[in-house]
Amino acid sequence: MRNTNQSAEKTMDNTIDCRTNETNNYSNETDNNNLPTAVWLAEGQSSQRDMLASLQTLKTKTDLPFIVIASHRQSRPEIFECADKVFFEPTSNLKDSKEELLAETMPRWQFVLEEAKKNNVKVLLTGRNGIDYEAQREQFSAAGIRLLTGATSVSALEMIDDKFAFMQHCQAYDIPVADAWRFDNSDELQALLAEHDHQPLCVKPVTGIFAQGFWRLDTGKADDEQYDSFEHLYFTEDKKITTAQFMSAYNHSQMTKEQPIPMLLMPYLAGQEYSIDVVCEYGEVLAAVTRHKTGKIQHIGYDESVIAVVIPLIKAFGCDGIVSVQTKADDDGQHRVLEINSRPSGGISYTAHSGLDLTQVGFAYWLGLTDKPNLENVAKQITPCQVRSIMMSVKL
């Protein structure tokens, strides 16, 4: 075990509610042949705890014992409590949090690979750092580890992250996708606006998550419908800004002058937006659940018209693992792809309410507990339902 200033295994006590095992004192010195199979969930965006809890439930449904491992670069007891064994991942930051002082002693992927070998890990979901792991796929495969990064090549993951390249790839495969025009400076933006401002438009960065940098513009609106100049400061969650104010901010931005941020100008689609959680393997959809939101309510089900767009999309990018897709309908009701997230969504735990827990479906298969899922058959297990998310607290 590494010292406290390095990436280290953290031993947890055995009093955690969401853990089903009696103890987690599995020594790394034990012969791997005597160790139970393990599954590892590396640092994710926002669903890591929920997925770990789901895996703990899966353990109660099978006679084959397996160990649930989690890792994160920060001290996250609310996540760690749902794992049997946890590790701190290496970090390039000298200080990632007030609780932990970490130094990068080796690349993250190498640390995880070495510990995965010691702990008989058979399936690894990489979470938020998929590209780093994907570049080393051969080494994980040689160790007998099923690597789940969201795709099976670095180029595919990079294309998924680059929303402009993503759109172009979709168009090449005749997949209905939201149009986008890239701009890298104010002159390019001004030229694009002159050509397209007869319609509602929006802007967002070429790369990014959690709607960072997304804004709706008031192009194509009548004078009495244009946004109030104070509205974007007051109703920040609406993500609306006048076109003139966005142009002014962009033109005078010191941030973009020091480090240019490639952006996209896009038609704003006013139709229903869908999130689709997908279990997939080498470009094949094995199971999927659709979600759309009205107000605070999530509607969970299986919309075949949306899935019809998702199936060729997953194939075109060779997606592999558990990913999420966003689509939105245009004025004609055509579902258009917005993006793929090459990792599980923050709402993947909602799928359990439909009778089909996608975390369990995927990992039961990859661990060899079940046969390969068939999309048509698993879709029949889905019971449409409505879900409201609630906030919960965890004592640290």
Side-chain angles (χ1 to χ4, degrees), residues 17-21 39 49-64 66 68 82-84 349 352 357 359-361 363-364 367 369:
D17 290 340
C18 69
R19 294 217 318 253
T20 59
N21 62 295
V39 58
R49 174 189 163 87
D50 289 338
M51 296 182 73
L52 290 166
S54 182
L55 290 174
Q56 294 291 357
T57 301
L58 178 62
K59 287 167 62 175
T60 68
K61 300 178 180 180
T62 176
D63 294 330
L64 178 66
F66 63 91
V68 179
C82 290
D84 303 320
S349 63
D357 186 322
T359 298
Q360 294 183 16
V361 170
F363 281 94
L367 285 168
L369 306 177

Side-chain angles (χ1 to χ4, degrees), residues 83 155 163 207 231 277 329 377 390:
S155 60
K163 294 178 176 61
T207 61
E231 188 173 1
D277 297 297
N377 291 335
I390 61 174

